[in-house]
Structures are given as C-alpha cells and as structure tokens.
Amino acid sequence: EVTFLFQADPYARTYHLPGPGHGIRHSGGRLLVQMWHRKPIRWEPNEAKKDPFDIPVSQREYGNSVVYSDDGGKTWCNSQYLPAYGPDGEPYRMGEARLIERKDGSVLISSRFGTARDAYRLKAVSDDRGTSWSEPFYDNAIGPAFPCDSGLIKVNDNCILLSRPDCLDAPRRRLTVYASPDETKTWPYSRIIDPGDACYSDMAVLPDGDFLVFYGSGYYNGWMGREVSGARFSPEWVQRAD
C-alpha cells in the first residue's frame, strides 16, 4: 500500500499510476518505478466538443515522479515531483514515462508529451539515483510523433533502444525501434518492426543480448489493442545500415 506517498502532491491530484512498462534496478541496488499523475477526468461525449472529456488536456496538470526502494521493495519512498508547468507558465504535460540508468550512475526519465502539436518527448535527469530531478527539457534529438507511450531500455553502455509508433497522425501505426549509441543524445538508427496499426510497447533484454518487444496491435470496437504481438531481434539488426 503506497497511496499515502502522494498525499503531499503540490497539485492535489488524485490520479497516480505506475509505469507503463517496467521499472529499473540501479547499479547501487535501488529499485525505481516511474509514476505519472494527473487530475481525474470523466468521459463526456458531446458533439459540440472535440475533446470528449470533462477537463481539457491543458488543465489536467500531468506530471511525473519516481517511487524508489532501498530495501528490496519492502518499503517505498516518493521522489521529488517533476513540475507540471515550465518557467513560462505553459504546462509540460509529462505523462507515461520510462527510466534508464546512464554510465555515470545518473537516472534519465523520458516522458510522453500530451498533445499532437510539436509532440517531442520530455526528459529530466537525476544525479542522486532518482531522489530529485532537473528541470525537464524537450528531446529534440528524435523527431516528433503522435502522442503514445514508448518503450525504453538499456542494452549496454553503447546502446539504448526506444520503441514507438512512428506517425504524426492518428491512428497509431508503424511501430519502430530506434537505437542510440550515446545515451539518447542522438538516434541515428531505426527499424520498422510492424508497418500496421500499433500502440503501447515495452522491451526486455535477453541473456544472449537479443531483445524482445511486446506491443498492442489492431483495433477492437474503435480502440487500440485488439491483441498483443511480440517479436525478437538483435540490437545489431537495428544498427545495421542495410
């Protein structure tokens, strides 16, 4: 039971979700799980409104934090909250997020941006194993895409993988895996995993160095995720030039 960890939320949000996807174990032993927060919303379809929810995206106060454990998961603490608004007063809209540990032991959080316009991911860095965070900044190293959860995993010090639908307009499609040799500073390699409809994804590294990607595909009653698909590849395949 960790609900009490969020009672001090500065934005008084009552919707707190872990993930999506996996957390990480830091080289120092700390367990970390990414959280995202927002105000609760209700589905209110209305032909006169483009947004079918009762609270528009700009007013939901999306944001992130990380829960961490230094005793193998027996007890948990909540990190500093990442700010919901930038220095200019505009909302960051950081939502579903992923974590990686960098070579120097710092932790990087990479978060979904909440609107389709200029839909770059947002990142922040922690130099104290996820206890506090830098000011968020936009990840302009990788192109924009229609907002969707993205998988992120560290294969080794020279290979970070990110999986997401590579499209700017709905419906979500063309699941693509990108590879970064420099801890997300650049993303020079990419491969299309599935050219069809695809949405949320997660990845895992196998003992032999290959990686698995699992993702939702197809539509059911107008919603993504009719089925879960999986594929296995090598990082070398993603980074090959052909």
Side-chain angles (χ1 to χ4, degrees), residues 37 40 42 70 73 80 83 88 98 157 167 169 182 186 203 207 222:
H37 317 276
R42 291 193 304 271
D70 291 321
Q80 169 196 11
D88 58 0
R98 302 301 172 102
D157 283 344
C167 60
D169 302 306
D182 51 18
T186 63
M203 292 179 286

Side-chain angles (χ1 to χ4, degrees), residues 153-171:
I153 198 163
K154 179 177 180 177
V155 178
N156 54 52
D157 283 344
N158 299 309
C159 183
I160 304 294
L161 298 176
L162 182 143
S163 58
R164 69 172 188 183
D166 184 18
C167 60
L168 277 170
D169 302 306

Side-chain angles (χ1 to χ4, degrees), residues 36-51:
W36 63 286
H37 317 276
R38 65 164 166 77
K39 290 183 176 179
I41 54 178
R42 291 193 304 271
W43 176 265
E44 293 184 348
N46 186 327
E47 292 184 1
K49 293 173 56 181
K50 185 176 180 180
D51 190 340

Side-chain angles (χ1 to χ4, degrees), residues 213-227:
V213 55
F214 290 92
Y215 61 98
S217 57
Y219 277 82
Y220 179 76
N221 286 342
W223 291 91
M224 286 294 303
R226 181 188 65 201
E227 57 193 15

Side-chain angles (χ1 to χ4, degrees), residues 155-217:
V155 178
N156 54 52
D157 283 344
N158 299 309
C159 183
I160 304 294
L161 298 176
L162 182 143
S163 58
R164 69 172 188 183
D166 184 18
C167 60
L168 277 170
D169 302 306
R172 294 162 175 160
R173 62 189 181 278
R174 203 164 55 248
L175 186 81
T176 302
V177 171
Y178 302 80
S180 171
D182 51 18
E183 298 188 312
T184 77
K185 293 183 180 68
T186 63
W187 298 92
Y189 311 106
S190 64
R191 288 276 190 164
I192 296 174
I193 301 296
D194 188 333
D197 296 325
C199 57
Y200 284 36
S201 58
D202 195 17
M203 292 179 286
V205 179
L206 299 172
D208 66 359
D210 282 0
F211 70 94
L212 298 176
V213 55
F214 290 92
Y215 61 98
S217 57

Side-chain angles (χ1 to χ4, degrees), residues 73-138:
K74 294 178 183 177
T75 59
W76 293 86
C77 299
N78 190 33
S79 77
Q80 169 196 11
Y81 288 95
L82 279 87
Y85 299 92
D88 58 0
E90 289 296 312
Y92 278 128
R93 304 187 187 110
M94 298 180 75
E96 299 154 342
R98 302 301 172 102
L99 301 169
I100 56 168
E101 179 184 352
R102 303 197 298 186
K103 295 177 187 177
D104 61 2
S106 63
V107 178
L108 177 77
I109 187 167
S110 174
S111 182
R112 166 183 169 174
F113 184 60
T115 65
R117 187 186 68 180
D118 299 328
Y120 293 95
R121 295 182 69 80
L122 279 155
K123 299 193 294 188
V125 176
S126 171
D127 292 323
D128 51 14
R129 300 186 303 157
T131 303
S132 62
W133 296 93
S134 70
E135 185 74 18
F137 55 97
Y138 289 98

